[in-house]
Amino acid sequence: MKIFLDTANIEEIQEAAASGLVDGVTTNPTLISRVEGKFEDIIREICEVVDGPVSAEVVSLDSAGMVAEATELAKIHDNVVVKIPMTKEGSKAIRELAGMGIRTNCTLVFSANQAFIAAKAGASFVSPFIGRLDDAGQVGMDLVREILTIYDNYCFDTEVIVASVRHPLHVVESLIAGAHIATIPHAIFEKMFRHSLTDKGIDAFLMDWEKVKERQGG
Ligand code: G3P
């Protein structure tokens, strides 16, 4: 499964990318609002750090406006994937952009029908928002499993990005479901490396190693 970082913070992206484990980045208008700088410059800088798909979202609500914005965003860097919201207008834009060779990530997906339409329209990626479904009292990962089954049944090559990831267990569930990608906030990426028993084990080994050194005369 590929790991994308769900942030627009360049320090977080640089730090995580140094691990060699980051395959792409997703942003949205909320994440962009949390960092300084011009939208286009932020996206360009991210593309220069991570050699993989970098999602940048349009804000128009009509398909013509979305296509116009997407065309400009795609010029920023080859890594740019244009995030388009799942609406009827969005599906029209996705279809048109696919014809132009511009990759899209259909976002704000909350149902299997929406994911089906996104794939049929030609989206390169689809982003079901798992945490927000959990918040609404629905099991978000059930939607991921449904989408993967549907895409498998009909050989869609749209990749499923598990989005709105809120805790490390969402990542484990994504892996077990066979999702193509999980997009992960930096804080959760950090947590994936950690276990208190690992820290305790290292401390104990180092303490015992001191005894070995003493026995060997320093
Ligand atoms: O990738 C979409 C993600 O940023 C949404 O996450 O936590 O705002 O639901 P959240």
Side-chain angles (χ1 to χ4, degrees):
M1 185 176 78
K2 283 174 263 189
I3 293 177
F4 286 7
L5 276 188
D6 196 28
T7 178
N9 182 309
I10 197 70
E11 285 82 26
E12 288 183 351
I13 293 167
Q14 283 167 334
E15 191 279 327
S19 70
L21 299 171
V22 175
D23 302 299
V25 173
T26 52
T27 69
N28 60 39
T30 302
L31 295 172
I32 295 290
S33 76
R34 292 183 188 149
V35 299
E36 296 296 322
K38 200 168 157 239
F39 179 36
E40 292 77 7
D41 295 341
I42 296 165
I43 295 299
R44 188 176 302 104
E45 200 175 358
I46 296 172
C47 289
E48 282 162 5
V49 173
V50 174
D51 189 18
V54 173
S55 288
E57 189 157 342
V58 299
V59 289
S60 295
L61 297 178
D62 63 301
S63 68
M66 289 176 187
V67 170
E69 274 188 66
T71 308
E72 291 307 308
L73 289 172
K75 286 180 193 159
I76 296 174
H77 197 284
D78 285 349
N79 289 352
V80 169
V81 169
V82 182
K83 234 176 174 184
I84 305 275
M86 169 30 75
T87 59
K88 198 183 254 186
E89 287 296 301
S91 77
K92 277 192 236 166
I94 288 167
R95 196 169 172 72
E96 199 173 327
L97 291 165
M100 295 162 67
I102 294 177
R103 292 182 297 168
T104 55
N105 171 1
C106 183
T107 189
L108 289 165
V109 166
F110 294 96
S111 79
N113 274 325
Q114 289 180 322
F116 164 50
I117 287 166
K120 197 169 169 68
S124 310
F125 302 93
V126 68
S127 291
F129 276 30
I130 299 318
R132 293 193 195 184
L133 278 172
D134 287 354
D135 291 344
Q138 212 177 314
V139 179
M141 282 309 301
D142 283 349
L143 174 60
V144 172
R145 287 184 276 271
E146 285 174 5
I147 297 171
L148 289 168
T149 301
I150 291 164
Y151 286 5
D152 190 45
N153 285 349
Y154 295 96
C155 300
F156 284 120
D157 53 18
T158 305
E159 291 186 73
V160 178
I161 304 178
V162 178
S164 187
V165 165
R166 299 281 169 75
H167 48 70
L169 195 51
H170 274 151
V171 182
V172 175
E173 289 176 314
S174 304
L175 286 159
I176 293 168
H180 304 95
I181 302 150
T183 189
I184 304 170
H186 185 264
I188 296 170
F189 180 72
E190 281 297 306
K191 284 184 184 173
M192 288 167 63
F193 291 85
R194 304 291 301 267
H195 196 289
S196 59
L197 289 176
T198 305
D199 297 340
K200 209 173 152 189
I202 289 172
D203 288 347
F205 285 154
L206 290 181
M207 276 167 59
D208 289 339
W209 194 247
E210 286 302 315
K211 292 180 208 157
V212 174
K213 283 201 314 195
E214 276 167 30
R215 196 180 63 214
Q216 293 177 350

